Amino acid sequence: MEGFRRTYLRLCKEGGVEPQESVVAQLQESRAAPGSRLDLSGQSLSADTCSVLARAFQKDTVFTEVLLSDCMLSEEGAKVLLSGLFGNTTVKVLDLKGNNLRSTGAEVLGKLLSRNKTLRRLVLEWNALGVWDEAFSLFCEGLASNGTLTQLDLRNNQINHHGAAELALALKRNTAVQALDLRWNNIGLLGGRTLLEALQKNNSIMQLEMAGNNIPSDTLKALEQTTGHNSDRQSTLRDSRSRTQVLSKEIQTLKEEKGRQVTLTLRNDTVLRPNMNTGRLFEGQLQEALNERKSAVNSLTAKLQMTEAALALSEQKNHNMGELLTRVKAEKEEQRERQSRERRKEQEDGALREGKLLREIQNLTETNAQLMNKVEEMERRCKSQQQQIFELKQELTNSTAELKLQLAQAEERLDIEKRRSKQALQDTDNLRQKEVEHLNRHLEESERALQERIFKLEGQRIQLEEELSKAKAACVTERAQAEEELGRVRAQVRLEEQEHVSSLEEKLRSVRSLQQEVQLHCSQQKQSISELQAKNSQQSMELNGLRRRTEELQQELSGKDQEKVAELSQVRVELQEQIGHLQAERTAQGGLKEKISALEREIKALSGNHREVLLDKESEMSSMLEKLRLKDAEIQRMREDEAHRASYLQSAILTYVQGSPLGHYSSPKK
């Protein structure tokens, strides 16, 4: 660590770059800790610092792990820093987590993987390598040409189905990667299928993480099964290698023992030739050698039995695998038959549904034609109703004109009576004043009643106009004309009423002024009270007659108003009924249209689901066939390996037995 710090400071000085204080402090802190790990995580590295570190990595032979996570590397800085690791021969672990590497970073990483021959583990979590398809394809090309990387972490790199396709092509060529982490990307269904096809040709990947990629559960299960097969295959290969190593060691030891025994026999022969007296001793030695050979043969027979048992187990396994294959084939045939039945049923159901839908569509077209005829009839009725409404409007205008004439006559009569009352009041006394006040009150009440009736008539007219405007929604031009006519009439009525009210108010004011004058002259007119009493009685009779006439007029007006209101209410009820019928027919038409659209959508959805089910079934059948083929190949390979091992072991034992000195000593005895 101290040497690396010195080289870093020296290279900064040579390049005229100011050493980054945080990097120097981190190197100073980790100087006391011996080891081969460089941890610069969390340090914000500038481009100049990255260039200096790249030069240092080119000459470094100490560090095997380089941790550069969350260093906020720029595009230029990442390019320079990774280029320094092209020729490095010691770094085996590289961590670039959370540096937001993009297109340039992906290209440089591809070059690094194609040139570096010592890197074993690469962590690229929380970057953006998959955003640009072209740059990620270059990265995948570098991965395909790499033969040393065993662990690759690509979590949270925004890899889509295009990037997954490029990665699948790389995995078909790569035979070194054993652990691949692709969690939390955007691979999807298409990307999952392409990776599944690639893993069926790749036998090295034993661990694959695919969570958070919107991949269906069946595809995930298939990926897990392929990785499980790869791990089983690797474990069987390791077991077979270990067994071959053990057997080779045993054979080597047997060969060494055989050589030692041959040398011992030769020495014994040289001793026997000059000295025949030592025969007994030699026979004892030979007996010991025979006993040793018997023990060796017994051990070899035991090993043979073990190997035979292992072979029997392997044959049992092969037999079980064959039975499993037959079962799988039977299940596969059953699945095919079920699928064919389901397809036939679905086709029949689809045909029945199509027939039903066609019949329903024909019925709906007929009902639609009937409804169109009804709509035309209702339009004709609406036109006739509009004509009736126009006639009613004319009648209303005529009745309003007649009412105006009657009101004008009544006002003239009232004016005449008021004049007569004024003349009579000038000659009356206190009794006359009281009667005049009574008449004034009666006149005010009658005026108020008339005003209230006028307001009621106006309210009824407004309501009738609103109802008529609602009924005439289809006839915009006629409604506008009617509204203009009604506005004019209303304005005229209001103007006439305002003029009438103003005239009445002026008359009341004059009456009040006259009352005041009468009160002033009351003292003067007390003498003529007796004469005016007779006149007062006569005028009271005339007033009673006038009151009766006004009451008759009011009764006639109220009767006419009631008749008009009844006629308008009848027209309103008829219009509302017609409008209700029209709305019900429109809602029925809308419901039929919605049913037709819903049926069309159901037909489309059923056809799409049918196609998707067929595609899924075909993919499942292809995957099952591929799995069966792989299982057959594995079983055949295992049989060949076991047969080869057994033959090799048998030949080795035979050669050993034939080449041992026991064979030479046993032949003369026979």
Side-chain angles (χ1 to χ4, degrees), residues 56-110:
F57 285 141
Q58 289 175 357
K59 301 176 182 179
D60 179 61
T61 58
V62 177
F63 296 115
T64 59
E65 294 186 17
V66 177
L67 306 180
L68 299 173
S69 61
D70 300 321
C71 289
M72 300 175 67
L73 297 177
S74 62
E75 293 286 329
E76 187 65 27
K79 182 177 180 181
V80 174
L81 181 61
L82 293 174
S83 63
L85 293 171
F86 287 170
N88 190 284
T89 58
T90 57
V91 176
K92 295 182 179 180
V93 178
L94 180 60
D95 189 355
L96 294 171
K97 175 183 175 182
N99 284 295
N100 197 20
L101 298 177
R102 296 178 179 270
S103 59
T104 306
E107 293 175 2
V108 178
L109 284 169

Side-chain angles (χ1 to χ4, degrees), residues 1-14 19 23-24 27-28 31 38 52-53 56 59-60 63:
M1 187 68 74
E2 180 63 25
F4 187 81
R5 189 178 69 84
R6 290 176 182 174
T7 54
Y8 172 71
L9 294 173
R10 180 174 57 79
L11 291 172
C12 287
K13 187 175 180 181
E14 290 177 359
V23 176
V24 176
L27 294 173
Q28 186 72 25
R31 181 177 62 179
L38 177 61
V52 174
L53 289 173
K59 301 176 182 179
D60 179 61
F63 296 115

Side-chain angles (χ1 to χ4, degrees), residues 24-63:
V24 176
Q26 185 67 27
L27 294 173
Q28 186 72 25
E29 289 177 0
S30 57
R31 181 177 62 179
S36 59
R37 181 178 181 181
L38 177 61
D39 189 359
L40 296 176
S41 300
Q43 305 293 331
S44 181
L45 301 180
S46 61
D48 296 333
T49 304
C50 290
S51 63
V52 174
L53 289 173
R55 292 169 61 190
F57 285 141
Q58 289 175 357
K59 301 176 182 179
D60 179 61
T61 58
V62 177
F63 296 115

Side-chain angles (χ1 to χ4, degrees), residues 554-602:
Q554 288 175 0
Q555 288 176 359
E556 289 177 357
L557 288 170
S558 63
K560 289 182 180 180
D561 291 333
Q562 289 176 358
E563 291 176 356
K564 295 295 181 181
V565 170
E567 290 176 356
L568 289 171
S569 63
Q570 289 178 359
V571 172
R572 190 189 305 165
V573 170
E574 291 176 355
L575 289 171
Q576 286 178 355
E577 289 177 355
Q578 292 175 2
I579 290 163
H581 290 303
L582 289 171
Q583 289 178 354
E585 289 175 355
R586 286 180 183 175
T587 53
Q589 287 180 359
L592 291 171
K593 289 179 181 177
E594 289 176 357
K595 286 181 181 178
I596 291 164
S597 62
L599 291 170
E600 290 176 353
R601 288 195 296 272
E602 286 179 359

